[in-house]
Amino acid sequence: MPPTVLNALYNKTQFWDGRVNTLEEQAALPIVNSVEMGHPNLDAAVAQIAAVEEYQQAFRVVFGRPPNGADLVRAIASYERTQLSFDSPFDHFIAGDKNAIDDSAKRGWELFNNQARCNKCHALTDTTRDVTNLIDNDFHNIGVLIVQHKVVPLARQAEELIKTGDTPAIDQAAIQTDMSALGRFLVTKKEPDIASFKTPNIRNVLVTGPYFHDGSQETLWDVVDHYNKGAGLQDPYLDQDIQPLALTESDIDDLVAFMAALTSPNYKEQGATELARQRAISKTTRPQRDTVRAFAPKPPRPPPPK
């Protein structure tokens, strides 16, 4: 599941594992990835674009030369930088309009920064709230499906691939193979980074599902349930901040209300429809819900495999 392009210009790194730094580098890789756009190389994509007179003219007007690979990715990255997402009800609340969000969302904002521990990743520091992008520009293992993968042999394979310096091949492996479970390790080769993924920007999160790097969760209730039970507690590489949260059902509803308040005006109607859809699902289907675990103490962390 690709990260949202909204506010991507603020990311210090791109992709879930941060394997490139700029939007230009990011724009190039889906073009040549066989499960995305599937071109054999960037030149092949340029050849298709160059065959369209409208693009020929546009490239000459903007760049003063015919279509080429460097300008192609510049154009895509320039467009991505226009995809800004602010002016939500939450922004008006932070600016001083106390009636911009309802009481449930207000309670959710406090939970977000306290008992729910969302501020461990979605804040500047544990004590400094981030009201702009709600990210820490870091990578975390949040316990998503790691136990289903044999990460040690995968990590050894990944090390050999990384040594080749073949960025397109690494990109394909990060999407198409079980190596996708390795996350940030594909970049750093550091064992503590196994299954760590970038903290996502949660603005417009209501309309940018499904959730997590693998798209494994359908609703925001599923997401909160995942954290509430301290998912992945048998994962030896789990982030230290993951633990059972003891959130009640009303707490979870408040957290979702806060996240819904991050929806910007141009997605207001879509957001309302999606919120109603997710709420209806949450009334009957909650695959991640485990109230007993959510209110239990955190068990000892298992040692990393040898």
Side-chain angles (χ1 to χ4, degrees):
M1 181 67 195
T4 178
V5 72
L6 296 176
N7 289 348
L9 78 164
Y10 296 109
N11 295 339
K12 289 187 176 180
T13 61
Q14 306 298 332
F15 296 115
W16 281 110
D17 56 12
R19 60 187 176 276
V20 301
N21 295 324
T22 70
L23 287 172
E24 284 78 5
E25 291 173 297
Q26 179 275 322
L29 290 177
I31 295 173
V32 298
N33 193 302
S34 62
V35 297
E36 294 184 272
M37 297 180 68
H39 291 284
N41 51 56
L42 202 56
D43 289 340
V46 170
Q48 282 198 344
I49 291 171
V52 179
E53 181 61 29
E54 182 181 354
Y55 283 127
Q56 280 275 4
Q57 294 177 6
F59 271 76
R60 290 188 182 279
V61 169
V62 175
F63 299 110
R65 49 186 174 262
N68 61 84
D71 290 339
L72 170 60
V73 296
R74 286 191 191 103
I76 295 171
S78 295
Y79 165 74
E80 290 178 326
R81 291 189 177 97
T82 70
Q83 299 304 293
L84 302 179
S85 171
F86 295 100
D87 197 32
S88 68
F90 171 75
D91 293 301
H92 289 265
F93 169 72
I94 290 297
D97 181 356
K98 301 306 178 186
N99 296 317
I101 62 176
D102 63 20
D103 288 343
S104 178
K106 291 174 186 176
R107 292 191 298 269
W109 174 231
E110 292 308 312
L111 284 163
F112 186 90
N113 289 287
N114 292 287
Q115 183 183 344
R117 300 173 68 85
C118 309
N119 62 323
K120 298 297 181 180
C121 300
H122 294 280
L124 299 175
T125 69
D126 288 357
T127 57
T128 305
R129 300 183 182 190
D130 179 8
V131 299
T132 303
N133 289 313
L134 299 108
I135 53 176
D136 61 357
N137 283 301
D138 206 348
F139 301 81
H140 302 273
N141 179 334
I142 60 169
V144 178
L145 302 178
I146 186 67
V147 295
Q148 296 185 13
H149 299 274
K150 296 180 179 179
V151 294
V152 174
L154 280 176
R156 301 301 166 254
Q157 293 176 39
E159 287 176 338
E160 295 304 312
L161 180 59
I162 293 167
K163 287 177 184 178
T164 69
D166 188 341
T167 302
I170 295 170
D171 178 62
Q172 290 194 21
I175 295 175
Q176 297 173 244
T177 74
D178 285 347
M179 286 187 195
S180 62
L182 295 175
R184 184 64 172 166
F185 178 85
L186 281 173
V187 179
T188 67
K189 293 188 287 185
K190 295 179 179 178
E191 191 166 300
D193 287 334
I194 287 177
S196 290
F197 295 87
K198 183 170 65 178
T199 302
N201 187 316
I202 59 169
R203 285 184 172 275
N204 281 312
V205 67
L206 188 59
V207 296
T208 54
Y211 305 110
F212 298 152
H213 73 275
D214 59 352
S216 58
Q217 304 308 321
E218 183 174 3
T219 74
L220 291 173
W221 278 269
D222 294 333
V223 170
V224 181
D225 284 342
H226 169 94
Y227 289 113
N228 196 28
K229 69 183 180 182
L233 293 175
Q234 296 306 309
D235 172 2
Y237 304 105
L238 188 71
D239 197 278
Q240 294 282 1
D241 290 319
I242 300 296
Q243 64 181 50
L245 300 175
L247 298 174
T248 65
E249 281 301 301
S250 61
D251 290 337
I252 294 171
D253 290 342
D254 289 343
L255 276 168
V256 173
F258 160 67
M259 289 187 279
L262 293 168
T263 307
S264 54
N266 47 329
Y267 297 103
K268 181 178 180 179
E269 183 175 342
Q270 180 184 350
T273 300
E274 179 62 12
L275 181 60
R277 186 190 76 86
Q278 291 192 19
R279 180 177 283 116
I281 293 173
S282 76
K283 299 298 184 184
T284 60
T285 307
R286 296 280 288 276
Q288 297 301 318
R289 185 178 182 181
D290 190 332
T291 303
V292 173
R293 279 180 57 182
F295 285 83
K298 183 177 181 178
R301 180 174 178 168
K306 303 213 183 270

